[in-house]
Amino acid sequence: PSAGQIRAAFLRFFEERHGHRRLPSAPVTPLVGLPCAGWHLSIAAVSRFQFKPIFLGTVHPRSELAQHRRVVNSQKCVRAGGKHNDLEDVGRDTYHHTFFEMLGNWSFGDYFKEEACSMAWELLTEVYEIPRDRLYVTYFGGDPSLGLSADEECRDVWLRLGVPASHVLPFPLKDNFWEMGDTGPCGPCTEIHYDHVGGGRNAAALVNQGSPDVVEIWNLVFMQYSREVEGNLLPLPQHHVDTGMGLERLVTVLQNKRSNYDTDLFTPILDAIHKGCRAPRYQGLVGDADAGRVNMAYRVVADHVRTLCVCITDGIYPGFSGAELVLRRILRRAVRFCSEVLQAPPGLLASLVPTVVEVLGDAYPELTRNANQIKDIINENEAAFLSSLERGRRIIERTVQQMESSTYFPAEVAWSLYGSLGFPLDLIDLMLEEKGISLDSAAFNELALEDAKRKAGGPQAGQPGNTNTHLDVHSLAWLQSSKVPATDDSPKYTYRLGQQGQYEFSPCQATVLMLYRDQSLHKEVGAGQRCGVILDRTNFYAEQGGQDSDQGYMIRLGQQDVLFPVESVHLCGGYVIHEVTAVETLRAGDQVQLFVDEAQRLACMTNHTATHLLNFALRRVLGDSTEQRGSHVTAQRLRFDFDTKGHVTVEQLQQVEQVVQDLIQKNEVVYMAEVPLTQARRVQGLRAVDEGYPDPVRIVSLGVPVENVLTCDSEAAMQTSVELCCGTHLLQTGSVEDLAIISERQLVKGISRVIAVTGGQAKEAREVGQCLATEVDSVSLRMKQRITSIPEMQNLSKEVGQLIKVVASAAMPQWQRKELQTILRALQRTANTAIKKLELQQAEKAAQILLAKYCNQPVIIDTVAADSLSILMKVVNQLCNKSPGTSVLLLSPQASGEVLCACQVSKNCIPTFSAADWAMAVCTQMEGKAGGSPIVAKGSGNARGMQGALTTALEFAQSKL
């Protein structure tokens, strides 16, 4: 059968034979809050997070989610990065993938182990007709340390289905107990394994041993527990089933292949690769047999192009952080194997998209709709990387030729490749490995640490104390007296929007005027030294006006393979100083070409324009008296300080975000022009007019041409954002995409600070907020239920406490944070009140029983069931209140083996009889401790000494009365 037929048969089997509802695949976009490291969304992660309220029994009864009883689908999954990092393994063998499909069926409180195993066995042996003697099943063998017995119920189900006992195998926790994370739904699982060899042999010894001959094909998870924060397991309100079977492995079995790449999920793509490259046809070779790693390259490209198609369709594009950065690495790895190993011309990767769509499009029609966009994005990123790849290869080859034998590759050169050309470190290592040398990792890590420290310094980085970027007074005077011209930095504003809507930045050619190091000017700086480079002109933005400086690199004309990374840029006395590490000797008079880090620049432009939108929105919502007090723009976020008469309310935060959203949706043109300062001062409503700007000044106006706002009687500036600003900005507001205020607090009375994020980060913040709002709603619903168990209410209280911590620290919309915090504080009060009430009820009940048992006796000594020391103390207090002349000591054995002790002495017996001494005598008998006052005391001990303690308690009391 074809892969399409196999997938369809699975879905049809559960949908038609067993009444499951078929759901479409969730997107592979990473879900915030999933308890896994890195980007790894298998069916388990997506589905179990999505259905968590069902697993916990907290789903709203009128919600659509609550109507699900049986569900089936085929889920797109990506696994590349973090804890489950398969990226570097892909291509080396025939079974690792970054993208794969997972066939899954679920039951929510409907069927359980008997039916789940029976359905799985029926599908595999009757529908797919897999020989029974090739299948082995595993089950959870128990874990005494957790008090979990073996899952004999599951074992017996398999035996009743006719699986031979020799094919039913127990395995420990690490193999057959599935957990989503440190907390949350979990349970034992049973796995079905397939023996590729067969022939009547018994392959039980190879199960779970990493053998390529015996592989797991299906995992059935029985969700019956919830892992609590304390580590203990509590039964779920209902039992659920959650299964996952990798389509690639299943197709390999049913098409009688030994490699996933030999199935029709991959062969059309491999054929298309062969047609587009100069390499021999794919032969399935691995390891030493794969000369020149040609077969590995086929596998890398085939796998990675599938991942690229799926991710781009689901809205993840190659970028510079998070999942986008992982996808960028995947694309660049595929491009390198295309060009260097397969010797394919540019464009091969994008040419494979129609084939991928042909293979996967029927199952995932969104791929068909987005095919052209996928090709455009792949081509655009490939072109950028091929240019960097060729330059990086030349740099490495040239550096290696100059190296002495048996030395490490220079860390400065590697850092230049890493920081300036965007080379992943593993790619550098791989290119060096091919040449039989290695990187000086210690020195590289030191450079990375320095860079991290510098970035962590934020706006303070590079301030006085950095001797390479801030000219001392003597050097500045010498430059001026020597008639060294100030740097022309107008090229920093030279950029435009291309036909496809992308920003295009032009490189800039310049001359080195002087070098600055250790507070002195130099005409030459040697290799490996960090220095400031003063140029006659630059397209780099120097840190000023609250905006971070640009980063990037410069090259010497005629020497394209030597990169001088520019780490920061500062303006001093009209001179722009570029902080670089000299990879080779730099001299005054050198001709250089400058390349700005376009992604970082664009992120700063986005956040700076968003800052203007935010400033305008704050004035619109809070009133014209709202004045800016400071701002800071980085590639990651923006910060804005302003005057305020009080705390900004939830409603005002929402209104501010809405005003910004409206301006973004209008996609207003951002007009910029330099005008004389005297003319600028006449603009009505101009913000920040009193700042010390040079003359002429630069005006930035949103939606209204600068010449219009300069008209004498114009009130246009009162209706939009018009500011004096030297920063770099977007050309249209729509590129901001979104803005979310993720923090708002008062610095001092009358001054507030907001922090906001834009674009994808804003979208992610909203997703976080929505996830947490759902969690809070779930807790609220459970809090409204009639809970009579103190431990249950205490666990609910702890869950509220954990949510309070998460909500306080999460990057989410601030208005939503405040709303949720208000709800959570109320829930915490409700929980605490309920716990006290339940404890009092339990204490009153126990006290009444004891009063009836020891009617008006002078001493009561007994054991009583109590869930906590607090309850035990309440029981003692109730007894003494209702029988004032009675002295009471109670012990309460706990499941942990501990015994709690509480006592109170009648005031009539003091000072002869001390409660503290009484408790100490009793708890010492139990090898424990105690403390308190003459009237009231408490303590604890070991259950082994409890009987002796009761005797001691009575003897002590008799001796004092």
Side-chain angles (χ1 to χ4, degrees), residues 629-647:
R629 283 298 190 99
S631 67
H632 183 223
V633 174
T634 71
Q636 290 75 37
R637 65 182 190 175
L638 62 96
R639 189 195 74 212
F640 193 82
D641 300 340
F642 58 98
D643 290 328
T644 179
K645 294 178 181 177
H647 288 287

Side-chain angles (χ1 to χ4, degrees), residues 356-377:
V356 175
V357 171
E358 184 182 330
V359 173
L360 297 175
D362 288 344
Y364 310 109
E366 60 271 21
L367 288 170
T368 307
R369 296 191 296 269
N370 291 279
N372 289 333
Q373 180 197 24
I374 296 168
K375 286 193 285 186
D376 289 344
I377 290 174

Side-chain angles (χ1 to χ4, degrees), residues 52-284:
K52 185 177 178 181
I54 298 180
F55 294 149
L56 293 175
T58 60
V59 63
H60 194 287
R62 293 193 300 274
S63 69
E64 183 181 3
L65 196 60
Q67 309 313 311
H68 293 328
R69 288 295 175 267
R70 301 181 175 202
V71 167
V72 64
N73 87 340
S74 178
Q75 174 66 43
K76 299 175 293 187
C77 309
V78 170
R79 178 163 57 192
K83 181 179 177 182
H84 302 273
N85 190 343
D86 282 352
L87 183 55
E88 295 312 313
D89 292 326
V90 172
R92 296 182 188 275
D93 54 41
T94 60
Y95 49 87
H96 272 99
H97 302 291
T98 53
F99 166 75
F100 55 99
E101 297 178 70
M102 193 75 86
L103 305 171
N105 61 289
W106 297 268
S107 163
F108 305 118
D110 189 349
Y111 60 81
F112 202 45
K113 297 177 184 178
E114 180 88 35
E115 297 88 341
C117 295
S118 177
M119 290 177 195
W121 195 249
E122 179 188 359
L123 176 65
L124 293 178
T125 61
E126 296 179 19
V127 177
Y128 290 142
E129 297 181 348
I130 297 176
R132 295 171 180 239
D133 62 352
R134 290 199 178 201
L135 296 175
Y136 295 79
V137 296
T138 66
Y139 66 94
F140 178 49
D143 191 308
S145 66
L146 293 175
L148 295 174
S149 57
D151 192 356
E152 296 177 353
E153 178 189 359
C154 177
R155 179 200 64 190
D156 294 344
V157 168
W158 288 119
L159 293 175
R160 285 196 297 274
L161 287 170
V163 182
S166 60
H167 285 221
V168 182
L169 313 169
F171 280 90
L173 193 80
K174 69 181 181 69
D175 295 307
N176 279 79
F177 195 90
W178 198 93
E179 301 198 55
M180 186 172 170
D182 295 332
T183 61
C186 58
C189 63
T190 182
E191 296 175 343
I192 304 174
H193 296 249
Y194 176 78
D195 177 17
H196 278 285
V197 177
R201 71 169 186 167
N202 188 324
L206 297 178
V207 172
N208 277 338
Q209 298 304 311
S211 169
D213 293 335
V214 181
V215 296
E216 173 205 338
I217 57 172
W218 205 345
N219 185 12
L220 286 65
V221 178
F222 305 122
M223 293 290 200
Q224 59 189 93
Y225 300 107
S226 176
R227 174 78 70 181
E228 302 302 298
V229 176
E230 297 83 359
N232 58 309
L233 295 172
L234 293 181
L236 287 171
Q238 286 184 308
H239 289 170
H240 312 287
V241 174
D242 186 346
T243 84
M245 176 159 57
L247 177 66
E248 289 77 10
R249 286 191 179 181
L250 178 63
V251 173
T252 301
V253 169
L254 297 180
Q255 293 184 357
N256 197 28
K257 306 293 185 183
R258 292 301 301 272
S259 163
N260 296 352
Y261 292 93
D262 291 337
T263 68
D264 64 344
L265 286 169
F266 289 94
T267 51
I269 303 173
L270 295 170
D271 289 342
I273 294 171
H274 177 64
K275 291 175 183 176
C277 74
R278 303 183 186 92
R281 185 174 292 277
Y282 178 71
Q283 296 176 285

